[in-house]
Amino acid sequence: MKQKIPKEFELLNKLRDSSGYKITQKINSFSLSTYIFKQNYNQLINQINLQTKPENSKEIHSNENREKLRKVQLETLRFLHNFLASAQSLIDHTRVFVNDLYNDDLLFKEEFSEKIQQTFTNDEVSVFIKDFRQFLQHFKMPNISTVTNLKIKDEKIERKVMISVQDLNQFSGWKALSKKFISKYKDKIDLSMVATEYFNIVNNFYNWFSERQELLHQDEFAEMENTRTEMINVGIEETIKRFIKNKNITKESFDISITQFMNEGEKNAFIKWNQDSKFQYILSICRNKKIKLHQKEILIFLKKYRR
């Protein structure tokens, strides 16, 4: 006689076979690229802040600590390298991801291409960052310096980490828009400013991309969530009924099992309650999720759980 597959496993297989689940897996894998780009930006900005914050003045910028400043600047170049490399990786990974997931959706691919054109293709900062990666990886490391200015009006010292324009002009690989961007600066370009401006452009673009994906796949995601909700409901029901039927399952073990189906807030509250409150909460879950318990089951549950 063929053994019946438990409902929980049937639903798990249904979930894994759903289009929404497969799409989500691909999106989650791709999101590593955006995560790495964002983290590299954050590390670069934090490193720049080490050199520009007033509280670091004595430690880094005093004459006796020049070697320390040099080490900090070397680390800045390392983080700059990572930031620029991850910017290009994100471009390449996005292209592969879109071709894979939307190969048959010509309307969206056209919309996506137009958005790329509007956002990046004719944007000076975006083109500069792309060319800057070529400069750094295939020509040489850029010349950076910490520039200090005294703001007379409020008598404050302002520091910035700057890229040398003269150094950049040694490179022959700049595209027209990059040259136009560089020409706006006489001597130096603020590294934090240009990195942040590009990061904001990229971040806004991927926020748009994420919103479009939510809309494009709303039916698949809704189907997946319905299956996931059904799985949770079945899991809760099976956990409660196993506790009622199996004398060897303790209430402590039951508590651990039932909290698997709660979010962090619910779980943290649940574990602090007394047994009466927990019992009432579990009954409310049953009512909300339409889990039917016979009177006899409730009495057994009550007796085991509150003793």
Side-chain angles (χ1 to χ4, degrees):
M1 184 176 177
K2 192 174 180 181
Q3 191 174 6
K4 187 179 178 182
I5 299 173
K7 182 70 172 177
E8 290 174 89
F9 290 109
E10 283 185 8
L11 290 169
L12 181 60
N13 290 334
K14 181 182 177 182
L15 178 71
R16 288 174 175 170
D17 288 338
S18 70
S19 298
Y21 182 84
K22 291 172 182 176
I23 291 167
T24 299
Q25 291 296 101
K26 289 184 177 183
I27 290 173
N28 289 343
S29 178
F30 169 72
S31 69
L32 289 173
S33 299
T34 55
Y35 169 79
I36 290 169
F37 171 75
K38 288 179 180 180
Q39 288 302 107
N40 282 332
Y41 166 76
N42 289 333
Q43 288 182 335
L44 173 61
I45 295 302
N46 289 339
Q47 189 66 19
I48 291 172
N49 288 341
L50 277 178
Q51 298 159 75
T52 58
K53 284 186 176 180
E55 55 264 34
N56 297 329
S57 178
K58 282 188 177 180
E59 187 178 354
I60 294 177
H61 297 287
S62 60
N63 289 331
E64 59 269 24
N65 284 327
R66 302 307 288 174
E67 186 57 32
K68 189 162 189 176
L69 175 60
R70 173 166 170 73
K71 287 179 180 178
V72 170
Q73 289 176 332
L74 287 174
E75 280 295 279
T76 303
L77 288 172
R78 181 169 72 87
F79 288 127
L80 175 61
H81 174 279
N82 293 345
F83 171 68
L84 295 175
S86 64
Q88 184 59 46
S89 294
L90 183 55
I91 292 169
D92 295 338
H93 295 171
T94 302
R95 186 181 301 112
V96 171
F97 175 68
V98 169
N99 286 336
D100 174 40
L101 196 54
Y102 303 105
N103 190 48
D104 298 324
D105 191 341
L106 298 181
L107 279 176
F108 176 69
K109 286 188 78 174
E110 184 177 347
E111 179 189 2
F112 184 84
S113 295
E114 287 176 1
K115 189 69 176 178
I116 290 283
Q117 186 84 14
Q118 293 166 5
T119 306
F120 299 109
T121 306
N122 297 314
D123 180 73
E124 291 176 16
V125 172
S126 300
V127 176
F128 170 76
I129 288 292
K130 197 171 182 181
D131 288 349
F132 195 23
R133 197 268 312 177
Q134 291 273 359
F135 175 99
L136 184 144
Q137 290 192 312
H138 302 295
F139 184 58
K140 69 170 189 172
M141 298 302 289
N143 184 1
I144 64 169
S145 60
T146 306
V147 175
T148 304
N149 291 308
L150 176 62
K151 298 176 78 175
I152 298 173
K153 187 176 180 181
D154 49 14
E155 296 184 345
K156 286 185 178 179
I157 292 176
E158 181 184 69
R159 288 191 174 92
K160 293 181 180 180
V161 175
M162 309 293 277
I163 316 163
S164 166
V165 168
Q166 183 179 5
D167 195 48
L168 294 178
N169 284 332
Q170 294 177 22
F171 183 51
S172 62
W174 300 111
K175 294 184 178 62
L177 283 174
S178 293
K179 290 180 180 178
K180 186 178 177 182
F181 174 77
I182 295 168
S183 69
K184 293 179 178 178
Y185 302 90
K186 184 179 178 182
D187 299 313
K188 298 180 186 296
I189 299 172
D190 183 344
L191 179 56
S192 179
M193 176 274 296
V194 70
T196 298
E197 190 168 336
Y198 180 70
F199 174 81
N200 289 336
I201 292 168
V202 172
N203 198 45
N204 289 337
F205 174 82
Y206 284 96
N207 285 340
W208 167 84
F209 189 32
S210 180
E211 289 169 4
R212 288 296 291 122
Q213 286 180 305
E214 286 292 332
L215 192 60
L216 285 168
H217 305 298
Q218 59 183 338
D219 292 339
E220 293 98 326
F221 291 159
E223 181 189 5
M224 178 184 70
E225 285 308 312
N226 288 338
T227 303
R228 200 190 301 277
T229 300
E230 191 178 355
M231 275 180 63
I232 291 170
N233 294 350
V234 168
I236 291 171
E237 184 174 359
E238 290 299 316
T239 299
I240 292 171
K241 293 198 171 182
R242 275 196 296 268
F243 175 65
I244 292 169
K245 292 175 183 177
N246 191 332
K247 294 179 180 179
N248 296 321
I249 299 176
T250 65
K251 60 187 177 185
E252 290 79 14
S253 176
F254 171 78
D255 281 353
I256 293 170
S257 298
I258 202 72
T259 53
Q260 294 179 74
F261 305 102
M262 300 177 186
N263 61 41
E264 279 303 307
E266 292 168 335
K267 181 178 178 179
N268 291 335
F270 182 82
I271 60 179
K272 294 175 184 176
W273 292 337
N274 60 34
Q275 292 304 118
D276 284 343
S277 297
K278 288 179 180 179
F279 177 74
Q280 292 301 325
Y281 184 67
I282 292 164
L283 288 184
S284 73
I285 290 175
C286 292
R287 286 193 296 270
N288 293 336
K289 298 187 178 298
K290 296 181 172 57
I291 297 170
K292 293 181 179 178
L293 293 177
H294 301 302
Q295 190 65 32
K296 185 179 178 181
E297 290 176 317
I298 294 174
L299 290 173
I300 295 170
F301 184 27
L302 178 62
K303 184 178 178 180
K304 277 190 73 178
Y305 198 61
R306 295 174 71 181
R307 68 183 178 192

